[in-house]
Amino acid sequence: MKKIVSLLCSLILILFLCACQGGSHQKSGQPQGKRTAEEAVADGTLLSTVDLMDEAEADAEAANKTYAGKYYLMNLAVDRLNDPEYIRAGFNIRYDFPLKTVYFTADLPEEEREGLALGDVLQIVGKIVKIEKRFNGMTFVEVSDAHCVTKTFQISGTVVAIDSAFWYSLIVSDDSGHVFPNSEITVYPQGNGNYKEGDRITAVGTLRDGILPGHSCVDPYAWPFYMESPESVEIVIEP
């Protein structure tokens, strides 16, 4: 009888461990969605749209089960504006990457679309209602009840290069997590400041997706963005 009880206990423990391991595989590492837009904004935790694109491309059905029906705070770069019902967002195609196949569609109110241009980066809050791979191979993340939270960003990072060939600019490896993971941002400060490589800076301003003509990324695997005429650029003095 003791052997039977021991075997049953062992079996229960094995099943429990398997269930725990199975559950861990389903976790995406992304923040939990919220029930309302207000809760998502108050929480302030950004959904990594880059990671979501990877998940959606790998398995759209699984991503749909994970994210659909919840509100998230997310940063997006405008890809298309000519549809009257929504903006389409994606990311600039880099020379070393294949064509992008995942897009976001967000039904921003008309007044919040005014003044937007292709490549503009904005932070929105919205409800992911569907992630669907279509017959043409493209995957769409449909976001409803979307609203623009801000078009101004604060970035913090290290100056990895200074370019003065065309326009004076600072190429910054952004580690603030406020924009996109693994992003490299070219900042064009007013005037030629006393900056040097290795300086840690913060900059505040609007962002655009991509690289201006005549410039290139230091890290070819980083997501490129640029900030023209920032509101402020400050060197961070380490304590």
Side-chain angles (χ1 to χ4, degrees):
M1 184 67 180
K2 288 182 178 179
K3 288 184 178 180
I4 294 174
V5 171
S6 178
L7 285 170
L8 285 172
C9 289
S10 299
L11 180 59
I12 290 170
L13 179 60
I14 291 169
L15 290 173
F16 175 75
L17 290 172
C18 289
C20 289
Q21 290 174 354
S24 66
H25 287 305
Q26 294 175 0
K27 292 182 180 179
S28 67
Q30 295 269 44
Q32 294 293 317
K34 303 300 178 182
R35 291 176 299 175
T36 67
E38 291 77 14
E39 288 174 338
V41 172
D43 181 66
T45 305
L46 278 173
L47 178 74
S48 171
T49 42
V50 172
D51 289 346
L52 178 53
M53 287 171 70
D54 289 340
E55 290 184 54
E57 193 164 36
D59 191 335
E61 187 175 343
N64 189 66
K65 290 179 181 177
T66 301
Y67 297 99
K70 302 166 190 172
Y71 282 86
Y72 294 93
L73 194 65
M74 63 193 89
N75 293 338
L76 297 171
V78 177
D79 178 81
R80 194 170 76 181
L81 283 164
N82 58 357
D83 193 291
E85 296 180 359
Y86 59 82
I87 65 163
R88 191 175 79 178
F91 300 99
N92 197 55
I93 300 170
R94 297 177 293 178
Y95 68 88
D96 58 331
F97 272 58
L99 293 176
K100 55 188 174 183
T101 59
V102 180
Y103 293 93
F104 293 77
T105 59
D107 61 346
L108 283 178
E110 185 177 354
E111 63 273 15
E112 295 182 15
R113 294 155 55 102
E114 290 181 7
L116 284 178
L118 297 183
D120 284 353
V121 177
L122 62 159
Q123 185 173 107
I124 72 163
V125 64
K127 182 179 183 180
I128 294 178
V129 293
K130 189 190 327 181
I131 300 175
E132 179 183 40
K133 180 166 283 189
R134 300 185 182 172
F135 68 92
N136 58 2
M138 299 293 185
T139 300
F140 283 84
V141 181
E142 184 181 334
V143 183
S144 71
D145 192 23
H147 293 277
C148 180
V149 177
T150 185
K151 299 175 187 175
T152 303
F153 295 87
Q154 176 178 300
I155 65 162
S156 301
T158 302
V159 177
V160 294
I162 297 176
D163 188 352
S164 57
F166 293 90
W167 303 276
Y168 185 81
S169 63
L170 310 174
I171 302 176
V172 179
S173 177
D174 176 44
D175 58 17
S176 63
H178 294 159
V179 187
F180 300 99
N182 188 32
S183 58
E184 192 174 276
I185 301 171
T186 303
V187 179
Y188 298 87
Q190 297 291 335
N192 297 353
N194 296 317
Y195 305 102
K196 61 183 184 298
E197 291 182 20
D199 282 345
R200 284 191 51 77
I201 70 166
T202 63
V204 177
T206 56
L207 284 167
R208 305 209 73 220
D209 180 24
I211 308 170
L212 282 176
H215 292 256
S216 60
C217 279
V218 173
D219 180 358
Y221 297 101
W223 290 100
F225 300 92
Y226 62 93
M227 181 183 286
E228 292 185 281
S229 303
E231 296 174 11
S232 64
V233 181
E234 296 180 356
I235 297 177
V236 178
I237 307 299
E238 301 292 348

